[in-house]
Amino acid sequence: MIRLKNVSKRFTKNTEATLKNVDLYIKEGEMVSIMGPSGSGKSTLLNIIGLIDAPTEGSYHLENIDTSTVKSKYHKYRNQKVGFIFQHFSLLDDYTVLENVMLPLVYRGIPHKKRVQVSEEMLEKVGLKAHAKKYPSQLSGGEQQRTAIARVLAQNPSIILADEPTGALDQKNGEKIMGILKEINNQGKTLLVVTHDQNVANSCDRTIHLLDGKISSTCFSTTLK
């Protein structure tokens, strides 16, 4: 699914690389956490995997596609293959819950009736169909994060990247969100989760530790899924 080989990233020519010779292989259907202190390169790695940014050196293959050959079409591949879940939800305040979930399908040119159908199904999947006409400000933090997950599910991406998905939530809501993400993974989706929470990491198949832009270790979870 994902293959990075000798990937480095520097943002200006004379600065130290943020990522340094990273080798990474993630199989289809894996759920992998990425941990490390601030400044270790987690966000940079996620941006490269999510086709927001490109490596300065090395190669990145996504589903056997050499991404260096499609840089001019990053936006297209990103919309088709990658779903993002952010710590602070990234919902549009002036749109209803249903409209927020529908938004990626608008960009794909999906007909309105189909957009509504798919989005309502995804809201039902995360337990929010009854909140479809509400606005984000009327939801709790956990409900907003579930809306963000429904939006990703509506896209039906190959890979889901979650950046601190429980970071803005209390423990109870965080556990609910991880339960939903594990269920999604059990249905065959590939998930990468950036986290500072060891409990979240323990829910994943394995954890990749970054330090100073390099992979310092990889640990496999002993917790049964």
Side-chain angles (χ1 to χ4, degrees):
M1 174 64 74
I2 293 169
R3 180 71 172 101
L4 279 72
K5 187 173 182 180
N6 295 325
V7 164
S8 296
K9 178 65 181 180
R10 64 183 75 247
F11 290 96
T12 58
K13 185 176 181 180
N14 296 318
T15 58
E16 184 179 5
T18 305
L19 289 179
K20 304 167 186 174
N21 300 316
V22 169
D23 284 311
L24 178 62
Y25 178 76
I26 295 173
K27 296 183 293 184
E28 183 176 4
E30 272 197 288
M31 186 172 180
V32 177
S33 65
I34 301 172
M35 301 188 77
S38 297
S40 60
K42 299 187 302 296
S43 294
T44 302
L45 178 61
L46 209 66
N47 286 344
I48 288 174
I49 292 173
L51 301 175
I52 291 175
D53 210 343
T56 307
E57 301 166 11
S59 63
Y60 169 33
H61 286 73
L62 175 61
E63 293 185 330
N64 296 318
I65 298 170
D66 182 349
T67 59
S68 67
T69 66
V70 295
K71 284 181 68 175
S72 64
K73 300 178 181 179
Y74 262 18
H75 64 288
K76 175 184 176 182
Y77 279 85
R78 186 167 59 243
N79 186 253
Q80 291 179 344
K81 297 183 179 295
V82 184
F84 292 90
I85 301 170
F86 301 102
Q87 177 177 352
H88 295 291
F89 323 131
S90 296
L91 302 177
L92 299 179
D93 293 336
D94 295 332
Y95 285 63
T96 66
V97 166
L98 180 62
E99 289 167 341
N100 268 282
V101 175
M102 289 170 56
L103 199 56
L105 305 183
V106 174
Y107 296 144
R108 289 189 183 180
I110 305 297
H112 178 77
K113 185 176 180 180
K114 182 65 173 179
R115 294 200 303 264
V116 172
Q117 177 189 343
V118 170
S119 299
E120 286 181 342
E121 288 174 357
M122 296 306 105
L123 283 171
E124 185 170 17
K125 191 168 187 175
V126 299
L128 288 179
K129 189 173 181 180
H131 298 277
K133 294 183 179 180
K134 291 184 178 180
Y135 290 87
S137 61
Q138 297 173 297
L139 303 180
S140 69
E143 289 168 343
Q144 289 186 57
Q145 190 61 290
R146 280 189 277 158
T147 300
I149 292 173
R151 179 179 56 194
V152 167
L153 294 179
Q155 288 179 252
N156 193 30
S158 302
I159 178 173
I160 296 174
L161 306 179
D163 192 358
E164 296 283 0
T166 64
L169 304 176
D170 59 37
Q171 182 177 351
K172 183 177 179 180
N173 277 304
E175 290 174 354
K176 285 183 179 179
I177 294 305
M178 285 309 300
I180 292 172
L181 293 181
K182 288 176 70 175
E183 182 182 347
I184 293 168
N185 175 243
N186 288 337
Q187 293 169 356
K189 292 293 184 184
T190 305
L191 272 78
L192 269 73
V193 183
V194 168
T195 184
H196 285 97
D197 188 332
Q198 188 61 54
N199 290 327
V200 171
N202 290 342
S203 298
C204 299
D205 299 321
R206 59 185 169 114
T207 298
I208 295 165
H209 292 272
L210 285 179
L211 184 64
D212 295 331
K214 298 179 180 180
I215 294 178
S216 60
S217 65
T218 299
C219 302
F220 289 86
S221 176
T222 57
T223 304
L224 292 177
K225 294 178 65 177

